[in-house]
Amino acid sequence: MPRRRFSISALLSVLLLVTGCERSTPTPSARGAAVLATNGPALTDALRNRDPVTRAAAAQLIAATSITVDPKVLIRALDDGDPNVRRHCAVALGRMRAQEAIKPLFRLLQDDNWFVRAEAAAALGRIGDPRAAGWLLQLLNDSDAYVRLCAGTALREVTTESHREMLLHAFARATPVAKPSIAIALARLQEPVVLPLLTSSTQTNDVVLRRRLTEALGDYPAPAVTNTLTLLLTDANDGVRQEAARALRRSTGFSTDQ
């Protein structure tokens, strides 16, 4: 799949707001998918096929369906020479919430292929193991915007109270690119230090970031965020408005629906 050369902001606004990070970018069709039997043993055999197209088609089917395949088979396939096999197997392991895949997925965070790194980060977020936090922090400065988004989304999902000091330390030293994602993760802990950045950053032109920030504000008690969230109810983007309504309900305990 050729690397993207058009506007990252436009791409993410269209593709990420509804579907989220994990399966949000276009997937190239696998030519062999139509001829594969849709059962676990057949797809397991196909993952071992010499033809990379067949292996990628099998991995894509496993990732996109509920077909049962032994996680060990998918973990071995994370070392496949074809990036499409690696990324689809990462997606499948994330959906299975396979704890045994944590360390192999850590390795994929350093993969040469941007799509593999992104799907590995998303999978770690779905599995939800707190051990992933430090690795995901490092990925917030990735050269690819989609990878950074997936890493930031996953970081929020795995954050626990045990991470507070580590995240505050990282926040104080973070680059401008990484800082909002760390703040969004700290919002899960209602950390007051990051609240001014969360509030002021809702003025960004990046719709995807604006929605993530809006969601994070809903983690705080109403007096601290009601004014900001009320303004976001009139945002130009429908997704941001909906997120603001949900955040207000969480923050205040009453519905803002008209």
Side-chain angles (χ1 to χ4, degrees), residues 70-141:
D70 188 341
K72 293 179 181 177
V73 173
L74 299 173
I75 290 171
R76 285 194 293 270
L78 294 179
D79 293 323
D80 195 280
D82 189 301
N84 285 317
V85 177
R86 299 196 300 274
R87 70 184 181 89
H88 286 308
C89 287
V91 171
L93 289 164
R95 289 188 170 181
M96 293 177 182
R97 292 176 169 79
Q99 289 289 328
E100 61 267 46
I102 294 290
K103 290 184 179 179
L105 287 169
F106 285 168
R107 293 198 301 271
L108 287 194
L109 297 179
Q110 302 176 55
D111 198 275
D112 290 339
N113 184 279
W114 65 271
F115 215 158
V116 175
R117 297 195 303 276
E119 297 292 14
L124 287 167
R126 289 209 58 154
I127 295 171
D129 193 301
R131 292 174 294 174
W135 290 84
L136 294 167
L137 267 175
Q138 296 179 36
L139 213 59
L140 294 179
N141 288 305

Side-chain angles (χ1 to χ4, degrees), residues 3 6 18 36 43 48 59 72 81 110 112 123 151 156 206 210 220 226 234 236 241 258:
R3 192 172 178 85
F6 41 86
V18 175
L36 294 178
L43 291 176
R48 299 169 178 146
K72 293 179 181 177
Q110 302 176 55
D112 290 339
R156 177 173 167 83
D206 184 333
R210 207 157 69 240
Y220 289 89
T226 297
T234 62
R241 295 195 302 273
Q258 300 299 317

Side-chain angles (χ1 to χ4, degrees), residues 4-63:
R4 307 169 322 294
R5 297 298 183 189
F6 41 86
S7 167
I8 289 293
S9 179
L11 170 70
L12 297 180
S13 296
V14 173
L15 297 176
L16 299 178
L17 286 179
V18 175
T19 58
C21 196
E22 184 172 301
R23 300 291 295 162
S24 53
T25 57
T27 300
S29 61
R31 299 190 302 275
V35 300
L36 294 178
T38 54
N39 63 76
L43 291 176
T44 297
D45 287 341
L47 276 176
R48 299 169 178 146
N49 195 285
R50 295 181 62 183
D51 177 21
V53 172
T54 299
R55 297 199 306 274
Q60 183 176 346
L61 275 174
I62 295 166

Side-chain angles (χ1 to χ4, degrees), residues 165-247:
E165 291 305 315
M166 179 185 73
L167 291 175
L168 283 171
H169 182 81
F171 179 77
R173 292 159 176 76
T175 64
V177 168
K179 219 173 187 72
S181 287
I182 300 173
I184 288 168
L186 280 164
R188 288 199 69 176
L189 310 177
Q190 296 186 355
E191 173 54 54
V193 169
V194 301
L195 186 54
L197 176 67
L198 293 170
T199 302
S200 63
S201 296
T202 57
Q203 302 302 310
T204 177
N205 290 327
D206 184 333
V207 174
V208 175
L209 178 57
R210 207 157 69 240
R211 180 169 176 175
R212 293 175 64 214
L213 292 162
T214 302
E215 178 188 12
L217 287 172
D219 292 328
Y220 289 89
V225 297
T226 297
N227 289 343
T228 301
L229 289 174
T230 300
L231 287 174
L232 288 166
L233 288 174
T234 62
D235 192 271
N237 181 268
D238 183 60
V240 174
R241 295 195 302 273
Q242 292 177 14
E243 197 63 66
R246 286 191 290 267

